mmCIF file of all heavy atoms in Angstrom:
data_model
loop_
_atom_site.group_PDB
_atom_site.id
_atom_site.type_symbol
_atom_site.label_atom_id
_atom_site.label_comp_id
_atom_site.label_asym_id
_atom_site.label_seq_id
_atom_site.Cartn_x
_atom_site.Cartn_y
_atom_site.Cartn_z
ATOM 1 N N CYS A 32 20.621 48.709 -24.212
ATOM 2 C CA CYS A 32 21.917 49.364 -23.852
ATOM 3 C C CYS A 32 22.616 49.686 -25.224
ATOM 4 O O CYS A 32 22.284 49.246 -26.359
ATOM 5 C CB CYS A 32 22.874 48.403 -23.236
ATOM 6 S SG CYS A 32 22.229 47.634 -21.769
ATOM 7 N N GLN A 33 23.525 50.771 -25.126
ATOM 8 C CA GLN A 33 24.353 51.155 -26.300
ATOM 9 C C GLN A 33 25.774 50.638 -25.945
ATOM 10 O O GLN A 33 26.376 51.068 -24.969
ATOM 11 C CB GLN A 33 24.359 52.692 -26.459
ATOM 12 C CG GLN A 33 22.995 53.247 -26.778
ATOM 13 C CD GLN A 33 22.668 52.826 -28.260
ATOM 14 O OE1 GLN A 33 23.557 52.776 -29.140
ATOM 15 N NE2 GLN A 33 21.381 52.797 -28.542
ATOM 16 N N GLU A 34 26.250 49.911 -26.891
ATOM 17 C CA GLU A 34 27.645 49.320 -26.669
ATOM 18 C C GLU A 34 28.462 49.452 -28.008
ATOM 19 O O GLU A 34 28.090 48.858 -28.990
ATOM 20 C CB GLU A 34 27.673 47.787 -26.275
ATOM 21 C CG GLU A 34 27.130 47.609 -24.974
ATOM 22 C CD GLU A 34 27.156 46.167 -24.434
ATOM 23 O OE1 GLU A 34 27.607 45.317 -25.296
ATOM 24 O OE2 GLU A 34 26.744 45.720 -23.412
ATOM 25 N N GLY A 35 29.336 50.213 -28.029
ATOM 26 C CA GLY A 35 30.132 50.449 -29.192
ATOM 27 C C GLY A 35 29.430 51.044 -30.340
ATOM 28 O O GLY A 35 29.629 50.709 -31.531
ATOM 29 N N GLY A 36 28.447 51.897 -30.098
ATOM 30 C CA GLY A 36 27.687 52.559 -31.048
ATOM 31 C C GLY A 36 26.461 51.632 -31.566
ATOM 32 O O GLY A 36 25.858 52.015 -32.573
ATOM 33 N N LYS A 37 26.236 50.480 -30.969
ATOM 34 C CA LYS A 37 25.269 49.550 -31.503
ATOM 35 C C LYS A 37 24.251 49.406 -30.296
ATOM 36 O O LYS A 37 24.619 49.328 -29.128
ATOM 37 C CB LYS A 37 25.840 48.173 -31.828
ATOM 38 C CG LYS A 37 26.752 48.174 -33.108
ATOM 39 C CD LYS A 37 27.163 46.855 -33.358
ATOM 40 C CE LYS A 37 28.155 46.984 -34.559
ATOM 41 N NZ LYS A 37 28.590 45.506 -34.940
ATOM 42 N N THR A 38 23.002 49.273 -30.684
ATOM 43 C CA THR A 38 22.030 48.972 -29.676
ATOM 44 C C THR A 38 21.840 47.372 -29.334
ATOM 45 O O THR A 38 21.817 46.572 -30.327
ATOM 46 C CB THR A 38 20.643 49.452 -30.371
ATOM 47 O OG1 THR A 38 20.638 50.660 -30.506
ATOM 48 C CG2 THR A 38 19.588 49.199 -29.187
ATOM 49 N N VAL A 39 22.030 47.069 -28.094
ATOM 50 C CA VAL A 39 22.032 45.723 -27.722
ATOM 51 C C VAL A 39 20.842 45.474 -26.651
ATOM 52 O O VAL A 39 20.775 46.278 -25.776
ATOM 53 C CB VAL A 39 23.387 45.363 -27.037
ATOM 54 C CG1 VAL A 39 23.459 43.993 -26.450
ATOM 55 C CG2 VAL A 39 24.549 45.635 -27.958
ATOM 56 N N PHE A 40 20.177 44.425 -26.780
ATOM 57 C CA PHE A 40 19.130 44.059 -25.841
ATOM 58 C C PHE A 40 19.645 42.946 -25.013
ATOM 59 O O PHE A 40 20.239 41.900 -25.542
ATOM 60 C CB PHE A 40 17.849 43.557 -26.550
ATOM 61 C CG PHE A 40 17.149 44.706 -27.304
ATOM 62 C CD1 PHE A 40 17.429 44.847 -28.710
ATOM 63 C CD2 PHE A 40 16.461 45.590 -26.646
ATOM 64 C CE1 PHE A 40 16.980 46.033 -29.294
ATOM 65 C CE2 PHE A 40 15.765 46.650 -27.352
ATOM 66 C CZ PHE A 40 16.148 46.929 -28.654
ATOM 67 N N SER A 41 19.458 42.975 -23.649
ATOM 68 C CA SER A 41 20.112 42.007 -22.830
ATOM 69 C C SER A 41 19.172 41.574 -21.558
ATOM 70 O O SER A 41 18.283 42.470 -21.329
ATOM 71 C CB SER A 41 21.404 42.509 -22.313
ATOM 72 O OG SER A 41 21.961 41.602 -21.278
ATOM 73 N N ASP A 42 19.366 40.553 -20.966
ATOM 74 C CA ASP A 42 18.545 40.334 -19.756
ATOM 75 C C ASP A 42 19.163 40.828 -18.539
ATOM 76 O O ASP A 42 18.750 40.745 -17.434
ATOM 77 C CB ASP A 42 18.313 38.782 -19.580
ATOM 78 C CG ASP A 42 19.589 37.978 -19.513
ATOM 79 O OD1 ASP A 42 20.775 38.544 -19.871
ATOM 80 O OD2 ASP A 42 19.617 36.865 -19.090
ATOM 81 N N ARG A 43 20.368 41.358 -18.620
ATOM 82 C CA ARG A 43 21.056 41.911 -17.500
ATOM 83 C C ARG A 43 21.489 43.464 -17.921
ATOM 84 O O ARG A 43 21.781 43.796 -19.072
ATOM 85 C CB ARG A 43 22.532 41.318 -17.371
ATOM 86 C CG ARG A 43 22.244 39.845 -16.766
ATOM 87 C CD ARG A 43 23.639 39.120 -16.505
ATOM 88 N NE ARG A 43 23.488 37.785 -16.916
ATOM 89 C CZ ARG A 43 24.020 37.263 -18.008
ATOM 90 N NH1 ARG A 43 24.836 37.923 -18.834
ATOM 91 N NH2 ARG A 43 23.823 35.966 -18.240
ATOM 92 N N PRO A 44 21.396 44.338 -16.880
ATOM 93 C CA PRO A 44 21.654 45.785 -17.113
ATOM 94 C C PRO A 44 23.207 45.934 -17.382
ATOM 95 O O PRO A 44 24.009 45.275 -16.865
ATOM 96 C CB PRO A 44 21.296 46.475 -15.826
ATOM 97 C CG PRO A 44 21.296 45.426 -14.739
ATOM 98 C CD PRO A 44 20.978 44.133 -15.440
ATOM 99 N N CYS A 45 23.405 46.816 -18.550
ATOM 100 C CA CYS A 45 24.897 46.924 -18.995
ATOM 101 C C CYS A 45 25.449 48.031 -18.147
ATOM 102 O O CYS A 45 26.707 48.117 -18.060
ATOM 103 C CB CYS A 45 24.881 47.204 -20.411
ATOM 104 S SG CYS A 45 23.739 48.461 -21.007
ATOM 105 N N HIS A 46 24.818 48.806 -17.322
ATOM 106 C CA HIS A 46 25.403 49.906 -16.507
ATOM 107 C C HIS A 46 24.422 50.067 -15.290
ATOM 108 O O HIS A 46 23.302 49.593 -15.336
ATOM 109 C CB HIS A 46 25.645 51.087 -17.206
ATOM 110 C CG HIS A 46 24.578 51.699 -18.105
ATOM 111 N ND1 HIS A 46 23.539 52.291 -17.688
ATOM 112 C CD2 HIS A 46 24.483 51.646 -19.480
ATOM 113 C CE1 HIS A 46 22.707 52.741 -18.646
ATOM 114 N NE2 HIS A 46 23.289 52.238 -19.782
ATOM 115 N N ALA A 47 24.778 50.905 -14.327
ATOM 116 C CA ALA A 47 24.000 50.922 -13.040
ATOM 117 C C ALA A 47 22.621 51.588 -13.341
ATOM 118 O O ALA A 47 21.798 51.358 -12.561
ATOM 119 C CB ALA A 47 24.912 51.673 -12.115
ATOM 120 N N GLU A 48 22.628 52.619 -14.101
ATOM 121 C CA GLU A 48 21.407 53.423 -14.233
ATOM 122 C C GLU A 48 20.605 52.755 -15.411
ATOM 123 O O GLU A 48 19.577 53.472 -15.857
ATOM 124 C CB GLU A 48 21.689 54.905 -14.525
ATOM 125 C CG GLU A 48 22.554 55.216 -15.778
ATOM 126 C CD GLU A 48 24.026 55.196 -15.618
ATOM 127 O OE1 GLU A 48 24.399 55.044 -14.386
ATOM 128 O OE2 GLU A 48 24.630 55.487 -16.567
ATOM 129 N N ALA A 49 20.752 51.579 -15.953
ATOM 130 C CA ALA A 49 19.996 51.014 -17.006
ATOM 131 C C ALA A 49 18.588 50.719 -16.312
ATOM 132 O O ALA A 49 18.496 50.169 -15.212
ATOM 133 C CB ALA A 49 20.608 49.811 -17.406
ATOM 134 N N LYS A 50 17.568 51.039 -17.173
ATOM 135 C CA LYS A 50 16.177 50.799 -16.772
ATOM 136 C C LYS A 50 15.609 49.792 -17.597
ATOM 137 O O LYS A 50 15.898 49.667 -18.832
ATOM 138 C CB LYS A 50 15.341 52.114 -16.818
ATOM 139 C CG LYS A 50 15.749 53.184 -15.901
ATOM 140 C CD LYS A 50 15.023 54.377 -15.948
ATOM 141 C CE LYS A 50 15.447 55.431 -15.049
ATOM 142 N NZ LYS A 50 14.875 56.678 -15.322
ATOM 143 N N PRO A 51 14.734 48.819 -17.077
ATOM 144 C CA PRO A 51 14.135 47.790 -17.946
ATOM 145 C C PRO A 51 13.136 48.354 -18.713
ATOM 146 O O PRO A 51 12.440 49.265 -18.517
ATOM 147 C CB PRO A 51 13.416 46.734 -16.854
ATOM 148 C CG PRO A 51 13.436 47.576 -15.555
ATOM 149 C CD PRO A 51 14.437 48.668 -15.613
ATOM 150 N N LEU A 52 13.068 47.795 -20.041
ATOM 151 C CA LEU A 52 12.075 48.158 -20.909
ATOM 152 C C LEU A 52 10.669 47.662 -20.525
ATOM 153 O O LEU A 52 10.635 46.526 -19.990
ATOM 154 C CB LEU A 52 12.354 47.649 -22.303
ATOM 155 C CG LEU A 52 13.566 48.200 -23.124
ATOM 156 C CD1 LEU A 52 13.771 47.524 -24.409
ATOM 157 C CD2 LEU A 52 13.396 49.675 -23.289
ATOM 158 N N ASP A 53 9.638 48.340 -20.931
ATOM 159 C CA ASP A 53 8.262 47.875 -20.592
ATOM 160 C C ASP A 53 7.812 47.117 -21.852
ATOM 161 O O ASP A 53 7.406 47.692 -22.856
ATOM 162 C CB ASP A 53 7.209 49.067 -20.334
ATOM 163 C CG ASP A 53 6.048 48.544 -19.987
ATOM 164 O OD1 ASP A 53 5.835 47.353 -19.516
ATOM 165 O OD2 ASP A 53 4.940 49.310 -20.250
ATOM 166 N N VAL A 54 7.975 45.743 -21.866
ATOM 167 C CA VAL A 54 7.628 44.945 -23.035
ATOM 168 C C VAL A 54 6.223 44.528 -22.942
ATOM 169 O O VAL A 54 5.899 43.841 -22.042
ATOM 170 C CB VAL A 54 8.710 43.772 -23.099
ATOM 171 C CG1 VAL A 54 8.433 42.843 -24.342
ATOM 172 C CG2 VAL A 54 10.093 44.285 -23.101
ATOM 173 N N LYS A 55 5.515 44.720 -24.064
ATOM 174 C CA LYS A 55 4.139 44.304 -24.049
ATOM 175 C C LYS A 55 3.892 43.199 -24.991
ATOM 176 O O LYS A 55 4.541 43.368 -26.076
ATOM 177 C CB LYS A 55 3.216 45.424 -24.237
ATOM 178 C CG LYS A 55 3.348 46.459 -23.233
ATOM 179 C CD LYS A 55 2.386 47.654 -23.459
ATOM 180 C CE LYS A 55 2.574 48.651 -22.343
ATOM 181 N NZ LYS A 55 2.235 49.992 -22.794
ATOM 182 N N PRO A 56 3.001 42.347 -24.844
ATOM 183 C CA PRO A 56 2.823 41.268 -25.868
ATOM 184 C C PRO A 56 2.158 41.952 -27.155
ATOM 185 O O PRO A 56 1.591 42.952 -27.052
ATOM 186 C CB PRO A 56 1.887 40.318 -25.212
ATOM 187 C CG PRO A 56 1.261 40.959 -24.024
ATOM 188 C CD PRO A 56 2.282 42.073 -23.652
ATOM 189 N N ALA A 57 2.301 41.234 -28.185
ATOM 190 C CA ALA A 57 1.688 41.803 -29.371
ATOM 191 C C ALA A 57 0.229 41.789 -29.378
ATOM 192 O O ALA A 57 -0.323 40.937 -28.715
ATOM 193 C CB ALA A 57 2.113 40.969 -30.606
#
Side-chain angles (χ1 to χ4, degrees):
C32 307
Q33 292 290 329
E34 291 181 2
K37 294 183 180 180
T38 302
V39 178
F40 295 94
S41 174
D42 60 343
R43 291 183 215 107
C45 47
H46 48 77
E48 61 269 1
K50 295 179 183 172
L52 290 175
D53 184 25
V54 181
K55 295 179 182 159

